[in-house]
Amino acid sequence: MKKIALVGYGYWGPNVAKNIYRNKNLEFAYICDKRQERLNLAKDIYAESVNYTVDYTDIIEDPSVDAVALAVETSAHYELAKMALLAGKDLYVEKPFTDNVQDALELKSLALERGLIIHVDHIMVYHPAIRKMKEIIDRGEIGDFIWIDCSRLNLGQVKNDVNSMWDLTVHDLAIVEFLTGGSKVKSVKAMGTKMYSSRYSITQLMVQYEDFFSSMRASWISPIKERKLIVAGTKKMIVYDDVDVVNKLVVYDKGFDVKEEMEYSQYVVKARNGDAYIPQLNVEDALYNSLEHFRNCMVTREQSMTDADAAIRVIDILERADESLDSLIQRG
Ligand SMILES: NC(=O)c1ccc[n+]([C@@H]2O[C@H](COP(=O)([O-])OP(=O)(O)OC[C@H]3O[C@@H](n4cnc5c(N)ncnc54)[C@H](O)[C@@H]3O)[C@@H](O)[C@H]2O)c1
């Protein structure tokens, strides 16, 4: 049985802990957080079943630990991930993999040299609704992609080490990468505003992919919570609304039928307003699935679906988006 240690028991770490604990094929070895008060909270739940430490080197120096799961602030991923890989441990790391491409490439080659697994928790790829969307798309039901619109709005949690794109849009970029089979990016543009943080707290990212266009909004400053994805295809359209408990995923037979290609430089089209249906979704926890996929990769030694390469493709877009934001300031 693979032995795993969790580092970071802040906001998200407790969810990772719960799902490691639930997985009876993983041995939960340690919970580590540099803040003792966080460990005290963990002890109330896991009591004697795990070891607790404020010192990460306890884990690094324990040869019986096979893997490290990092749920620390994004800015701390690189240093701790590097230590884990140098100590020969497989790595589960929360999204975004790192806060820049160069660090990510270095971690990737460290893992390659040592034959270690890197699994980045692009959690939405393991979500039953996104899996179902992929199934529908792969059987050709929506036709070709025209437009993918994503929004992640809420009040909080304001971060100071990354902007809202690196915090939230990273999920949408991972979803688009997964649904479209890694479509090539042609250009990236972003706008945003800094409020209540030194980082951009509200952002709008526009990505021109080879064959379709995507718009992605992220905000830590919104009165309502929205987690929505609209996929408009040439045949059908899909809406995924994570906040809607009943109609999470709806497939619409809507679109335009092109009557004649071009007539005096204009398309002759007719709107189609057909039926909609709600696909049945498996009752599964995306985080559990993600951790189980990592466990499976550790056993089989196969690359994760969301490995360093997949994560680097996403971070590369985020870096280009940051450059676009910076160019706004220079011109402004
Ligand atoms: N997959 C998801 O849907 C999802 C959701 C939220 C957050 N996240 C990711 O999870 C990560 C953590 O986010 P968070 O909001 O929980 O952050 P957080 O600041 O609430 O918690 C981070 C914890 O790590 C601890 N820590 C930092 N450096 C440490 C070290 N060297 N040794 C031991 N402990 C250390 C801190 O004390 C803190 O308790 C981020 O990368 C974030 O992007 C993922």
Side-chain angles (χ1 to χ4, degrees):
M1 196 180 310
K2 295 290 180 185
K3 231 172 153 175
I4 186 166
L6 169 68
V7 190
Y9 198 81
Y11 162 73
W12 188 247
N15 296 323
V16 181
K18 194 167 69 191
N19 284 287
I20 293 175
Y21 188 72
R22 270 182 65 201
N23 193 321
K24 294 301 163 214
N25 294 315
L26 279 173
E27 191 179 334
F28 201 173
Y30 289 88
I31 297 179
C32 168
D33 199 295
K34 61 186 179 186
R35 295 187 290 162
Q36 183 60 48
E37 69 271 23
R38 296 305 302 173
L39 290 183
N40 294 342
L41 288 174
K43 272 183 197 163
D44 287 344
I45 300 171
Y46 301 103
E48 304 301 313
S49 63
V50 252
N51 299 302
Y52 303 90
T53 180
V54 288
D55 186 356
Y56 182 51
T57 54
D58 287 346
I59 291 167
I60 292 302
E61 286 168 6
D62 183 341
S64 75
V65 172
D66 300 298
V68 165
L70 294 180
V72 295
E73 299 89 320
T74 303
S75 51
H77 287 186
Y78 165 72
E79 284 299 337
L80 303 191
K82 189 172 172 178
M83 286 170 75
L85 295 170
L86 288 173
K89 305 196 187 299
D90 290 325
L91 180 70
Y92 166 105
V93 55
E94 270 307 329
K95 62 78 203 167
F97 183 20
T98 57
D99 56 14
N100 66 80
V101 172
Q102 203 186 333
D103 287 352
L105 286 169
E106 189 189 331
L107 295 177
K108 179 192 154 184
S109 56
L110 282 177
L112 263 177
E113 283 160 18
R114 289 163 179 75
L116 295 169
I117 302 288
I118 292 182
H119 170 87
V120 182
D121 181 32
H122 284 176
I123 187 170
M124 296 310 290
V125 168
Y126 303 95
H127 194 291
I130 301 299
R131 287 284 171 92
K132 179 60 79 175
M133 266 176 120
K134 174 86 172 146
E135 229 179 87
I136 294 166
I137 288 164
D138 284 355
R139 62 175 181 246
E141 226 178 293
I142 73 136
D144 297 329
F145 294 105
I146 300 171
W147 172 54
I148 302 181
D149 183 65
C150 317
S151 52
R152 287 180 187 269
L153 323 174
N154 203 1
L155 197 66
Q157 191 204 10
V158 175
K159 306 249 169 171
N160 285 299
D161 65 335
V162 288
N163 65 32
S164 56
M165 284 188 302
W166 288 76
D167 181 34
L168 299 173
T169 307
V170 58
H171 288 297
D172 297 317
L173 290 168
I175 292 173
V176 172
E177 145 108 12
F178 175 67
L179 292 182
T180 65
S183 199
K184 278 217 172 67
V185 173
K186 280 169 72 180
S187 68
V188 173
K189 288 239 168 0
M191 288 186 84
T193 190
K194 287 180 188 173
M195 199 63 199
Y196 309 123
S197 169
S198 56
R199 307 291 177 145
Y200 284 88
S201 34
I202 304 174
T203 45
Q204 169 87 44
L205 173 64
M206 282 152 296
V207 186
Q208 181 65 59
Y209 289 88
E210 203 143 57
D211 302 313
F212 63 94
F213 170 71
S214 183
S215 39
M216 300 173 179
R217 254 181 325 148
S219 175
W220 296 321
I221 309 167
S222 161
I224 54 150
K225 179 169 179 174
E226 191 169 286
R227 298 275 185 270
K228 206 180 254 180
L229 192 80
I230 301 171
V231 178
T234 49
K235 288 187 187 161
K236 284 189 185 172
M237 305 195 176
I238 312 181
V239 177
Y240 166 55
D241 185 349
D242 193 41
V243 178
D244 191 325
V245 278
V246 187
N247 302 328
K248 260 198 196 314
L249 196 64
V250 184
V251 184
Y252 293 89
D253 183 12
K254 287 191 186 213
F256 286 99
D257 293 325
V258 178
K259 294 291 168 202
E260 286 169 52
E261 269 296 300
M262 287 280 249
E263 194 177 77
Y264 306 115
S265 323
Q266 284 184 337
Y267 280 98
V268 180
V269 292
K270 189 172 181 301
R272 191 179 62 261
N273 247 313
D275 291 339
Y277 73 90
I278 299 169
Q280 187 69 35
L281 300 181
N282 294 338
V283 184
E284 289 170 4
D285 187 305
L287 186 51
Y288 183 89
N289 287 348
S290 174
L291 275 154
E292 172 57 12
H293 180 68
F294 173 56
R295 189 198 66 79
N296 201 47
C297 293
M298 281 201 282
V299 174
T300 62
R301 307 314 293 169
E302 279 171 18
Q303 293 299 318
S304 164
M305 276 173 52
T306 50
D307 62 2
D309 281 328
I312 289 166
R313 284 194 289 275
V314 165
I315 299 175
D316 183 56
I317 302 173
L318 290 169
E319 260 192 13
R320 289 165 68 179
D322 278 352
E323 283 163 22
S324 172
L325 286 171
D326 289 346
S327 72
L328 290 175
I329 301 171
Q330 280 157 21
R331 283 186 212 150

